[in-house]
Amino acid sequence: MALALCLQVLGSLGGWLSLYFSCCHVNKHRSYEWSCRLVTLAHGVLAIGLSAYIGFIDGPWPFTYPGSPNTPLQAHVLCLTLGYFIFDLGWCLYFRSEGALMLAHHTLSILGITMALVLGESGTEVNAVLFGSELTNPLLQLRWFLRETGRYHGFAGAVADFLFVALFTGVRIGLGARLLFCEMVSPKPRWFMKAGGVALYAVSWGFMVSIWRFAWRKSIKKYQAWRSRRGEEPQRKRNGHLRAH
């Protein structure tokens, strides 16, 4: 069983690396980060679909049965995601593209998934954490691609920002707190899985503080721009054009 899981993780890592190098070959005129984010987007969409199917259809329900034995499908999805996280962490370290908070998130994710696979249990709640953490991923990548193509400062960028902040707050912070509570009060999960859940939730709060700071600064800029336009309107009505200063 251990050998089979290792082979699945290595196969997943090889698959993500192949996809990355293929994107680099196709997008030669783009940066390496462009190709890496395409891989991240592909993993995000795939992880959301698979983890949603496991959590909502295949079961068991993570809020009721944390610490349950892993199902074969859970193990396959965790191997797939572990390979991706190893690839992405290696890429981030090589290009030094991320700060301590993101590196901590990736490291904790790798440790949590590895422990769930080694123990053969807790895949239920780890899969739920995967769903919550990846749900905002496509929006995050969309914001980056809009910025890179010069389309961020418009309606699409505003919608992406709003949905990203709303989903992150509601799912990763709101539902995440509920899942963490169920994990802590249940006698089944091991203590180190509970400790990992606390650490990962703390990292989510670190991201949340940064996100709300960004949202506050952007709101202030929009308000100042609105006040500036309101101040120019009376001048237009009197003169028909802006007065030169």
Side-chain angles (χ1 to χ4, degrees), residues 39-57:
V39 175
T40 301
L41 177 61
H43 170 263
V45 172
L46 187 60
I48 291 170
L50 291 173
S51 60
Y53 175 81
I54 290 173
F56 295 104
I57 299 175

Side-chain angles (χ1 to χ4, degrees), residues 42-243:
H43 170 263
V45 172
L46 187 60
I48 291 170
L50 291 173
S51 60
Y53 175 81
I54 290 173
F56 295 104
I57 299 175
D58 193 61
W61 186 238
F63 295 97
T64 309
Y65 302 102
S68 300
N70 300 345
T71 66
L73 182 56
Q74 286 174 353
H76 293 324
V77 173
L78 293 181
C79 288
L80 178 71
T81 296
L82 181 56
Y84 164 76
F85 274 120
I86 294 172
F87 155 75
D88 201 45
L89 179 61
W91 193 94
C92 293
L93 291 173
Y94 182 81
F95 287 97
R96 300 179 181 179
S97 61
E98 298 292 347
L101 202 59
M102 181 60 75
L103 295 179
H105 173 268
H106 277 35
T107 302
L108 288 170
S109 298
I110 289 172
L111 290 175
I113 294 172
T114 300
M115 292 308 301
L117 289 171
V118 170
L119 295 172
E121 60 187 46
S122 288
T124 301
E125 61 267 33
V126 173
N127 175 81
V129 171
L130 174 63
F131 173 77
S133 62
E134 292 299 320
L135 189 60
T136 54
N137 186 289
L139 291 169
L140 185 63
Q141 306 315 316
L142 174 62
R143 293 174 67 250
W144 189 87
F145 284 119
L146 288 173
R147 189 180 293 110
E148 285 295 298
T149 55
R151 301 173 184 175
Y152 176 69
H153 299 289
F155 179 73
V159 172
D161 280 344
F162 174 79
L163 291 177
F164 175 76
V165 174
L167 280 176
F168 196 101
T169 305
V171 177
R172 291 188 65 165
I173 300 301
L175 290 180
R178 175 62 179 170
L179 180 63
L180 181 61
F181 173 79
C182 295
E183 176 86 356
M184 297 302 290
V185 299
S186 175
K188 289 185 177 180
R190 309 291 182 97
W191 68 268
F192 42 83
M193 296 301 291
K194 295 182 179 183
V198 172
L200 200 57
Y201 188 68
V203 169
S204 292
W205 263 107
F207 285 130
M208 187 76 263
V209 171
S210 299
I211 289 169
W212 277 106
R213 283 178 178 173
F214 161 79
W216 175 256
R217 289 194 300 267
K218 186 170 183 179
S219 299
I220 291 297
K221 288 181 180 179
K222 284 185 173 294
Y223 175 73
Q224 291 174 344
W226 176 77
R227 286 289 300 272
S228 177
R229 289 194 299 270
R230 285 290 301 273
E232 292 170 356
E233 285 179 1
Q235 203 169 24
R236 287 196 183 98
K237 291 179 179 178
R238 288 196 302 268
N239 303 330
H241 60 275
L242 287 176
R243 183 180 300 170

